[in-house]
Amino acid sequence: MSRGTSPGTLAECSNALPESGDLVVCNCCPQNASYLDRPDADLPVCFQQTVLVWIPLGFLWILGPWQVLPMCKSRDKKSSVTKLYIIKQVLTTLLMLTAVAELVLAAVEGAEQDPLPAVQYTNPSLYIATWLLVLLIHDARRFCLRRDSGILFCFWTLSLLCGSLLFQSLLRRALQVGFVAGNAESALNPEVTASFLSSITFEWYSSMVFKGYRKPLEIEDIWELKAEDKMQSIYTVFEKNMKTAVRKAQAELEKRKRKKRRREGGLDHVNNISKAQSQDILVLQTKKKKGDKGDSGSHKDYPRGWLMKTLGKTFWKNLLLSVTFKLVHDLIVFVSPQLLKLLIAFVSDEESFAWQGYVYAILLFLSAMIQSLCLQQYFTLCFKLGTQVRASLIAAIYKKSLTMSSATRKESTVGETVNLMSADAQRFMDMANFIHQLWSSPLQIILSIVFLWGELGPSVLAGLAVMVLLIPINWFLVAKSRTIQVRNMKNKDERMKIMSEILNGIKILKLFAWEPSFEKRVNEIRAHELKNLLNFSYLQSVSVFVFTCAPFLVSLASFAVYVLVDENNILDAQKAFTAISLFNVLRFPMAMLPLVLSSLVQTNVSTVRLERYLAGEDLDTSAIHHSPIEGSAVRFSEATFAWERDGDAAIRDGACGQRQAAGGGCAQADVMRQLFLSLSFQGSLAYVPQQAWIQNATLKDNILFGSELDEARYQQVIKACALLPDLELLPAGDQTEIGEKGINLSGGQKQRVSLARAVYSNADIYVLDDPLSAVDAHVGKYLFEHVLGPKGLLQNKTRILVTHSISFLPLVDNIVVMGAGAVSEQGSYGTLLANRGAFAQFLNSYGSQEKDASEEDTTGTGNKTGLCVCLGDMKNLALSSSDTSGGCYEPYPASGNLKISTNSLKKAQEEAPKQVKGQKLIEKEAVETGKVKLSMYLRYLRAVGLWYSFWVAMGYVAQYVAYVGTNLWLSAWTDDAERYLNETYPVEQRDLRIGVFGALGVSQALFLLFSTILSAYGAVRASRVMHQQLLGNILRAPMSFYDTTPMGRIVNRFAKDIFTIDETIPMSFRSWLSCLMGIISTLLMITLATPFFALIIIPLGIFYYFVLRFYISTSRQLRRVDSVTRSPIYSHFGETVSGLSVIRAYGHQARFLQQNEITMDINQKAVYSWIISNRWLAIRLEFVGSLVVFFSALLAVISKGTLEGGIVGLSVSSALNVTQTLNWLVRTSSELETNIVAVERVHEYTKVKNEAPWVTDKRPPRGWPSKGEIRFVDYKVRYRPELELVLQGITCNIGSTEKVGVVGRTGAGKSSLTNCLFRLLEAAGGKILIDEVDIATIGLHDLRKNLTIIPQDPVLFTGTLRMNLDPFDQYTDEEVWKALELAHLKMYVQDLPGRLLYVVSEGGENLSVGQRQLVCLARALLRKAKILILDEATAAVDLETDHLIQTTIRSEFADCTVLTIAHRLHTIMDSNRVMVLQAGRIVEFDSPEELLGKAGVFSMMAKDAGITNTETTTL
């Protein structure tokens, strides 16, 4: 029987062959016999599925119809129906059904995925017709004497022959796949092919558990997700539903707003007040935080109520299935108490038959098993739902971050958004796991009450009354917890925001010795957080107390009332233990309901945050027109730009167009990021921001930026962007990994990579935001010649260049001068000079020194390029980029000229694949493997306090002693029914029974309260200790630690791991203790009833232990893999947000979304695998539990005569309870072990090697340095032990109050020199003496507080302006104002709302780069140390600001020693001496006049920069 192969195989065969490189038809049938020219010859799949199938069918259809003729002609009567005939017809019908099934399958698969090849539909259809024909032939043959048909026989034979070829091919493929599966097991997912039995018992997962037991699992070992569980398929549906829901919600919002406007028509005066208040709010610039989301929604309403609808619509199938399983489970739960009742009756009844007992025992076992199977399927569905909800939300947040408008972006900082991803999405995940308890708990409660009524009658109402009384108490607790939780979320956000700022600006903190101030700020917030946490834990203890009391109080009330109401009511074993097991059933939904409600409350908080974020307004792209514009490439018309809607216009009525001949448009820098907002341009766009954005990837990937590699063009671009010498220096050429934010590149290198990325992208229009500011003058000139200028790579493109440099102006087509946010004049260089306007004056005052050079340059270039330049005035300096990088080092010495042969580069690239020392900057995050060490638990317990830990444990022991006592007392009480049979029950006996029962129960709850309150206090103490250690140590880590550790990892420690230590571990510890005690006490009670049970405990215990060992090693490793695969999600996100403008400009959103999907899927598969491992375990453990129930019942049946009903009831009802507890014990053990990993991870960072101590015993003399003399003695330094030296034995003296300029090509070690003075790098040899004190002998803070630096990157922190200038409040307001005045900021600050208390936003975004640089100058002026270091401080500012800064420094720091590291040579031409560095050595060190006089490195550089003698500089 030749059947068509499965739909998948055709697709496979299309991939199977073309390797051989032959001409291919239909993707898999080569023209020649290449399928046979190989060791494993076979027929092509297409041939098999067409020719081999059609030969037998063709034969039958040509000859078969004649066989049917007897039916039409014959007058004979049919012969009778034989057995053989029936068998033949049945088999043929079955064949026909398989063909039908195959057709249906093909149709379904074709609809879901890409359309399948036509053969997949035609073959089954042909077969259906064929089998019909065969049926008819069989019937027709009944008219003939000879029953069988020769033609049919030949048809079967042919089918068999052709089919065998098909069959052997299938068999071989199956075996091959089998072997391949052996190698690439991870690629397949056995769940897809698992049988029914394997699916319900999760047997298919066993191989993974064994593998995890043999060796620690890696991400590569984990099976792939099924196609429908992958990010893409889930998110597509989610997004579609989300869009419709948000649209509806926005319509609702509009309605609400209209109503509100109508209402407020009459309340004008009230409105004025609120307007005034909102003015204040604006003044304070408080970002609209979560706090004022709910109630005071008045000043910012948002579309609400759509998120839950969207989730429901997306995941309805999952929800429906899980409801079914849960329902079946909930109903079966109530079978066990009824069986228990029958069993107790059976034991108490002398006359009953033995077989009844055995039937009850088996039924108990079966009901437990079915319950378990349903529950596990239900849990799998729930957890799967949870992960998918989390994934969709993260994907949505990520996508939103790519599209949202500036205004929305200002509302949420990166820290807050990361919190949305981590905390809020996690909340939804947790909620999804228990969402069904919302209907299932009430259902179970109602059913329990119905059954209890049957046992105890109206007395149950007493128990119910107790429950109802507990509800308001609970609501109160939940509401209180909620307010605390909301407050704490704010604290967390605040703390994470400061943390990410500290980590971003860590270099500045170290240079200024500000760590203590920030440590204090974080600790203050943390103290608030912990205070709230403690209150929250106390509330939790009270609710735990209430809940432990609940079941006991309920049973006490019911029994007492039952006995007291009527003296004929005697509590017998049947009633008591059936009631008790029903109360036990009640216990779970009663405990779950409040938890689910509080989880719902938390999710509600998160819903508000997510809805606000996800429905925020998007970038309005409608203002951009990509239409062909006559005569121009870019045109602005009447364009006004602002940073947000209704904001102040940054640029007004900009109108200009450019001619097509590679002409450019124009804009000042603060339009740059907004440029993609309201203008028309044609063609694609490339953008180079003022501060380069570099990804954490190889240098090559940074330049390719997702484009295909074209080797020739790539080499050309690298050469033009002057990157060849850098590649020689990088450890692995262009395969070197660049750290986060380009940490291991110098500022100039970053800018050139950023430029190379733009050039490589081969766009039509280039928007360049002052890219030459960060590079040295000669490099700038080279770049202009080879890239931007008339002969550069971009000569036929439209270029818009914003620049502060005037030397290139004569070479451009059109100049647009901006002033105060408007175009003040435009035209060619000549025209503007002739106009004698502001531009000409500007040139006269600043241009003389650059003029000579430019005249020389321009003589030869008659052809002017299509380059338009915009110059801005100082006051309107730009808001450039959202992110200032954490540090710009130049660890790699650059040498000589830029002409380096391409061969050497080729060579460097060929050698690259060998891992070079230093190639991997970021090490793979360490995943601890193996068992969590005992020392981790001890470390945690020590942090809690050993005495606390001991007393907590004692409290739990006492509680369970009381628990066993209560149960034994009850069992004795029920036996009274036998003892006082037919007598009246003595009142005092009755009161004694009730009294002791009550006392034992209350003591049980009190012990618990005692231990939870203690543990709450201890846990908060542990949280405080651990966070303090972590923070203290991270701030004391050396800079090299930050270079090699991605921020995401450190943030992860402070966010996820600290959260685990705060909230999850204490819970895990408590539940673990109580499960352990619960199991011990249950087993004890069963053994007391039936001593033989002790024998059964042993084999069950062994089985339990093995399952546990196998499982825990797998589960623990999966959780570790999960947390390691989670970091990249946040890292990638942070990187995306900081590079938003670049990603948008290039239009690469789709690629980044896809990258995010891949990262998410890797994390999802780890999480999914972990979920299944839990279910695998639970099924096996519940089997153990069911056996416990079975044996305790069986032993009761066997020893029937000797036992009282009470003790049997006690034994079996305890056993029924044990299943869940057994399961929980393993879950809590593994959870505890998983969560303790957080302690391990935090501990790992508290052990990071520290830099030298901040203060040592040897303090420098007061007022040191008084002279400011610096001596370098044979000083050597390297960045990390495995790298080469950066400074190679520097020896020089710098006199008191001397002004020294430091120059050198990129990577010569200029910045490294400053790092050494501040001891950010420790010496590898030699020493530095300042005023004869060896700086290596004193504390770092003593050193750093007495030096001042104006750093290359102006980093500001969130907080007031004053805090940014003087975090320790050491100076008076007068001094601060004085410093601001000297820094030319006084006027500006006086106009700010709040003045010195003006709030600086994250990363100083609400100040321009120039203003930030001036704030840094003010910082230096405040400190006024004897030694000042300027690290390329004026690279990013225009000439006017530069002039201001230089003048101030000259006058204010006249009596200080000043070291200036310069890119613009004219800034150091008036220095006393100039130090020229090359490859880490001093090559020249003399006065500028001397150096210009002799032909050396310096005079070359000066010539490049157009400086011929020192007089030419007006500065």
Side-chain angles (χ1 to χ4, degrees), residues 774-942:
V775 295
D776 302 345
H778 59 281
V779 181
K781 191 172 156 193
Y782 177 94
L783 290 175
F784 194 82
E785 270 171 41
H786 289 78
V787 180
L788 308 174
K791 298 207 178 88
L793 276 181
L794 303 181
Q795 56 194 13
N796 302 322
K797 311 276 189 189
T798 305
R799 283 140 296 165
I800 304 173
L801 171 71
V802 172
T803 183
H804 295 305
S805 160
I806 37 189
S807 53
F808 306 123
L809 295 185
L811 299 176
V812 303
D813 270 15
N814 188 3
I815 297 172
V816 178
V817 183
M818 309 280 304
V823 175
S824 63
E825 38 187 340
Q826 71 184 91
S828 66
Y829 186 70
T831 326
L832 291 183
L833 275 184
N835 287 351
R836 303 243 157 239
F839 177 69
Q841 288 165 16
F842 184 71
L843 273 193
N844 287 339
S845 52
Y846 293 108
S848 54
Q849 83 272 25
E850 305 200 19
K851 216 152 139 192
D852 316 336
S854 50
E855 274 162 14
E856 284 165 39
D857 289 351
T858 48
T859 46
T861 56
N863 130 18
K864 294 279 166 76
T865 51
L867 179 56
C868 154
V869 169
C870 324
L871 277 167
D873 64 333
M874 180 249 146
K875 287 171 279 315
N876 199 47
L877 235 179
L879 265 154
S880 71
S881 141
S882 63
D883 207 287
T884 40
S885 92
C888 297
Y889 303 158
E890 309 185 354
Y892 310 109
S895 55
N897 247 334
L898 291 158
K899 303 178 189 71
I900 289 186
S901 68
T902 13
N903 305 348
S904 59
L905 172 70
K906 286 265 165 49
K907 200 170 76 215
Q909 283 175 339
E910 281 155 23
E911 293 162 4
K914 293 202 298 290
Q915 278 276 326
V916 194
K917 240 196 319 191
Q919 167 178 356
K920 289 291 289 166
L921 176 79
I922 307 273
E923 295 304 325
K924 211 166 144 188
E925 181 159 4
V927 187
E928 291 280 344
T929 51
K931 201 171 171 185
V932 180
K933 298 174 198 65
L934 191 65
S935 59
M936 285 303 146
Y937 294 104
L938 285 176
R939 179 162 288 114
Y940 181 74
L941 291 178
R942 264 193 220 108

Side-chain angles (χ1 to χ4, degrees), residues 851-1140:
K851 216 152 139 192
D852 316 336
S854 50
E855 274 162 14
E856 284 165 39
D857 289 351
T858 48
T859 46
T861 56
N863 130 18
K864 294 279 166 76
T865 51
L867 179 56
C868 154
V869 169
C870 324
L871 277 167
D873 64 333
M874 180 249 146
K875 287 171 279 315
N876 199 47
L877 235 179
L879 265 154
S880 71
S881 141
S882 63
D883 207 287
T884 40
S885 92
C888 297
Y889 303 158
E890 309 185 354
Y892 310 109
S895 55
N897 247 334
L898 291 158
K899 303 178 189 71
I900 289 186
S901 68
T902 13
N903 305 348
S904 59
L905 172 70
K906 286 265 165 49
K907 200 170 76 215
Q909 283 175 339
E910 281 155 23
E911 293 162 4
K914 293 202 298 290
Q915 278 276 326
V916 194
K917 240 196 319 191
Q919 167 178 356
K920 289 291 289 166
L921 176 79
I922 307 273
E923 295 304 325
K924 211 166 144 188
E925 181 159 4
V927 187
E928 291 280 344
T929 51
K931 201 171 171 185
V932 180
K933 298 174 198 65
L934 191 65
S935 59
M936 285 303 146
Y937 294 104
L938 285 176
R939 179 162 288 114
Y940 181 74
L941 291 178
R942 264 193 220 108
V944 171
L946 290 175
W947 272 113
Y948 280 110
S949 314
F950 173 73
W951 283 113
V952 170
M954 285 295 95
Y956 274 102
V957 171
Q959 182 211 337
Y960 276 96
V961 168
Y963 169 70
V964 172
T966 316
N967 281 326
L968 290 173
W969 186 259
L970 184 70
S971 155
W973 185 358
T974 54
D975 291 340
D976 287 350
E978 299 286 309
R979 193 174 315 133
Y980 295 103
L981 205 60
N982 308 327
E983 300 176 33
T984 50
Y985 193 51
V987 177
E988 58 280 0
Q989 177 76 355
R990 180 189 72 189
D991 294 348
L992 176 73
R993 291 293 189 199
I994 295 176
V996 173
F997 186 64
L1000 281 169
V1002 173
S1003 59
Q1004 189 181 327
L1006 286 174
F1007 284 129
L1008 184 67
L1009 181 65
F1010 164 75
S1011 40
T1012 43
I1013 284 189
L1014 262 190
S1015 73
Y1017 186 78
V1020 168
R1021 187 177 144 177
S1023 294
R1024 182 178 302 115
V1025 173
M1026 298 209 145
H1027 181 269
Q1028 234 156 3
Q1029 286 175 345
L1030 176 66
L1031 178 65
N1033 205 60
I1034 285 289
L1035 289 178
R1036 285 169 179 76
M1039 272 315 293
S1040 58
F1041 169 74
Y1042 294 97
D1043 302 348
T1044 54
T1045 313
M1047 256 193 58
R1049 263 181 223 174
I1050 306 177
V1051 168
N1052 213 345
R1053 298 294 189 282
F1054 279 100
K1056 186 85 177 60
D1057 296 324
I1058 287 289
F1059 172 80
T1060 309
I1061 290 175
D1062 286 353
E1063 305 197 7
T1064 330
I1065 293 183
M1067 286 289 289
S1068 303
F1069 250 116
R1070 288 205 295 257
S1071 30
W1072 181 78
L1073 255 179
S1074 87
C1075 286
L1076 182 67
M1077 306 308 303
I1079 287 173
I1080 294 173
S1081 52
T1082 304
L1083 294 178
L1084 202 78
M1085 289 192 286
I1086 301 179
T1087 317
L1088 282 176
T1090 47
F1092 278 115
F1093 186 73
L1095 296 178
I1096 293 161
I1097 292 183
I1098 297 163
L1100 285 182
I1102 293 172
F1103 176 67
Y1104 185 73
Y1105 175 77
F1106 275 110
V1107 168
L1108 199 66
R1109 278 271 42 89
F1110 272 109
Y1111 160 80
I1112 283 196
S1113 47
T1114 304
S1115 157
R1116 181 182 54 229
Q1117 208 51 28
L1118 284 171
R1119 277 309 280 273
R1120 282 184 181 147
V1121 171
D1122 164 37
S1123 57
V1124 170
T1125 52
R1126 189 175 289 171
S1127 299
I1129 299 176
Y1130 305 143
S1131 285
H1132 177 64
F1133 175 70
E1135 200 167 71
T1136 308
V1137 173
S1138 56
L1140 254 185

Side-chain angles (χ1 to χ4, degrees), residues 527-585:
H528 288 296
E529 200 183 340
L530 289 176
K531 194 172 150 218
N532 286 335
L533 190 67
L534 187 60
N535 293 337
F536 183 69
S537 310
Y538 284 157
L539 282 173
Q540 254 186 336
S541 314
V542 177
S543 60
V544 166
F545 167 72
V546 170
F547 260 96
T548 322
C549 286
F552 154 76
L553 285 176
V554 170
S555 48
L556 175 68
S558 310
F559 292 159
V561 170
Y562 178 71
V563 179
L564 296 172
V565 174
D566 179 357
E567 55 219 31
N568 297 330
N569 282 353
I570 288 184
L571 196 61
D572 60 2
Q574 239 169 308
K575 278 196 174 27
F577 287 103
T578 309
I580 286 233
S581 58
L582 283 167
F583 280 135
N584 279 337
V585 169

Side-chain angles (χ1 to χ4, degrees), residues 287-308:
K287 289 200 182 153
K288 297 184 204 73
K289 282 282 175 59
K290 285 101 206 180
D292 37 277
K293 290 209 165 160
D295 332 315
S296 52
S298 54
H299 41 261
K300 189 81 159 61
D301 207 348
Y302 61 96
R304 23 179 164 206
W306 55 266
L307 188 56
M308 287 299 187

Side-chain angles (χ1 to χ4, degrees), residues 1156-1194:
N1156 184 51
E1157 272 175 15
I1158 293 168
T1159 325
M1160 286 291 311
D1161 275 336
I1162 291 175
N1163 179 241
Q1164 287 287 86
K1165 77 179 189 186
V1167 178
Y1168 183 66
S1169 200
W1170 181 71
I1171 290 168
I1172 297 293
S1173 72
N1174 280 340
R1175 305 284 60 90
W1176 177 90
L1177 168 83
I1179 280 280
R1180 280 149 188 74
L1181 291 194
E1182 294 193 354
F1183 179 66
V1184 175
S1186 309
L1187 285 177
V1188 171
V1189 173
F1190 176 64
F1191 283 119
S1192 67
L1194 193 67

